[in-house]
């Protein structure tokens, strides 16, 4: 889960978080897939902790004799 801070002036109810009321300057966890939907609203939200990226797959090693 990613984390964002609510930077608005008054408490807000966030339906996506189960209708939870978020207070000014409060940090909340949001689903990784929705992080961009929050931080694209800079008057209201700022990023605190970005989503964890999926682990990168190691490149396949070539075996001897491959050309």
């Amino acid at each position: 889960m990613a984390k964002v801070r609510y930077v608005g002036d008054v408490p807000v109810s966030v339906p996506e978080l189960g209708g939870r009321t978020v207070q000014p300057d409060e940090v909340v966890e949001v689903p990784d897939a929705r992080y961009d939907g929050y931080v694209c609203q800079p008057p209201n939200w700022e990023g605190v902790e970005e989503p964890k990226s999926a682990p990168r797959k190691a490149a396949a090693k070539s075996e001897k004799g491959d050309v």
Side-chain angles (χ1 to χ4, degrees), residues 4-10 22-28 44 46:
V4 295
R5 179 186 325 278
Y6 176 59
V7 294
D9 295 330
V10 296
V22 179
Q23 302 295 322
D25 201 40
E26 183 177 354
V27 174
V28 295
N44 299 313
E46 70 179 11

Side-chain angles (χ1 to χ4, degrees), residues 4 23 36 49-50:
V4 295
Q23 302 295 322
D36 289 339
E49 185 177 306
E50 293 186 7

